[in-house]
Amino acid sequence: MPNPPPCKHLGRHCRELDVTVRISDLEDDSLTLQDAAATWLTGHTERITWGEPYVTDGLFMVDATVHVSCRYLAGDSKGARCDAHGFRGRMPSSTQTEPMRLQLGGERFSVVHRRKRTKLTLPYEAAPARSLPVIQSENPCADAQCRTSDNKVGAACCRDLTLELDLPRSRRRLEALIRSRKSPYVCRVIRDDDETLDCEVISACGYLEEGSVNCTLHDRVRPNDRPAKPSICSEWPDDLAEDETGHPGCVLIDD
């Protein structure tokens, strides 16, 4: 377990943290891919509040607030304490509100389009001309017993994500605060290089159909007829990295 962060008092940092997330490198990805990646990333709204995406220094970025408490925070509305430093006082407040509505009814959705959050009509992809009638296959994940590390079953890959934080090594206090978040809601914090820090956050996607594991953006297209979401949501990778095992119970990788 990492050392406690160098805090001097109870405060908002005990309940949530402001971070900057890298979405895409402008030189590596097309505008369509940038929009799809931003739509997917900022769709994970359960424990993250997202700002408006922006471009700076050749990168597509977004500011966000991660609403996960520090592992050392204890107490309730009657009072709080820090189990690392012994601070006591009122329970710090949180800025978290109801997640942004992404499903607006019918074919209307809130997505990132041309690097801005926009309300669009996203129809289903048209069937090819003279196509043969076929029976549509069911979602293979519909009854899967996959689970995230908080042991919640179903739609595991739609309920966690890895953030690439724009966080120079010199910002040691913020890095220490991130490493002290309550696991597993923030975990697997890895220093990627001198400028970026990766971490995994459990924060369900707001495009999930209510009460199911189906994605409401699946098979929908943007005004340019490109998919409304990125390939990561529709195509399983050929090989997992050596340090990856996938989610327990995943029907696509379990033998």
Side-chain angles (χ1 to χ4, degrees):
M1 181 180 293
N3 294 327
C7 300
K8 297 182 179 180
H9 54 77
L10 294 174
R12 177 172 165 256
H13 57 276
C14 303
R15 298 280 303 278
E16 59 191 20
L17 294 176
D18 296 329
V19 297
T20 298
V21 182
R22 295 190 180 192
I23 301 172
S24 176
D25 188 317
L26 300 188
E27 292 186 359
D28 293 340
D29 297 325
S30 67
L31 180 58
T32 297
L33 289 175
Q34 294 168 34
D35 286 345
T39 296
W40 166 76
L41 183 72
T42 61
H44 289 77
T45 55
E46 182 185 15
R47 292 185 176 89
I48 307 174
T49 298
W50 301 94
E52 182 72 18
Y54 59 92
V55 171
T56 182
D57 297 328
L59 295 169
F60 192 27
M61 315 267 271
V62 62
D63 295 330
T65 300
V66 178
H67 305 285
V68 177
S69 297
C70 178
R71 62 165 58 95
Y72 300 108
L73 179 66
D76 52 30
S77 59
K78 297 179 181 179
R81 71 177 186 276
C82 172
D83 285 342
H85 299 290
F87 307 134
R88 291 182 179 272
R90 294 181 179 180
M91 178 61 70
S93 60
S94 169
T95 63
Q96 187 173 21
T97 58
E98 286 294 317
M100 179 190 307
R101 284 189 62 214
L102 303 178
Q103 304 177 49
L104 306 178
E107 297 187 329
R108 297 284 290 172
F109 296 86
S110 173
V111 298
V112 177
H113 183 63
R114 296 179 178 174
R115 301 196 189 109
K116 298 291 183 182
R117 181 155 292 282
T118 309
K119 297 176 181 178
L120 290 179
T121 297
L122 301 175
Y124 283 111
E125 183 179 12
R130 299 173 61 83
S131 60
L132 293 174
V134 295
I135 298 175
Q136 295 296 322
S137 60
E138 295 183 358
N139 182 350
C141 300
D143 299 315
Q145 295 300 298
C146 58
R147 65 182 186 276
T148 39
S149 47
D150 61 347
N151 288 320
K152 188 171 183 179
V153 176
C157 62
C158 300
R159 294 194 296 104
D160 68 5
L161 74 164
T162 297
L163 303 181
E164 183 182 7
L165 305 182
D166 189 69
L167 187 65
R169 195 182 293 274
S170 59
R171 299 190 64 185
R172 296 178 181 177
R173 181 172 181 270
L174 180 54
E175 180 171 342
L177 287 168
I178 292 169
R179 292 184 182 277
S180 74
R181 292 303 96 181
K182 187 175 181 180
S183 179
Y185 302 104
V186 174
C187 63
R188 299 178 184 175
V189 182
I190 299 173
R191 168 58 65 177
D192 196 33
D193 53 40
D194 286 341
E195 299 298 324
T196 60
L197 186 78
D198 292 348
C199 65
E200 184 176 308
V201 182
I202 295 179
S203 181
C205 182
Y207 293 111
L208 281 175
E209 198 173 75
E210 186 175 357
S212 79
V213 298
N214 295 321
C215 176
T216 57
L217 286 184
H218 192 71
D219 285 341
R220 293 186 182 274
V221 292
R222 294 173 176 271
N224 60 0
D225 291 329
R226 300 294 298 168
K229 61 182 186 176
S231 60
I232 189 174
C233 297
S234 304
E235 300 175 4
W236 189 253
D238 293 334
D239 296 296
L240 292 175
E242 290 184 2
D243 60 345
E244 295 179 336
T245 58
H247 294 103
C250 176
V251 295
L252 300 178
I253 60 173
D254 281 6
D255 293 330

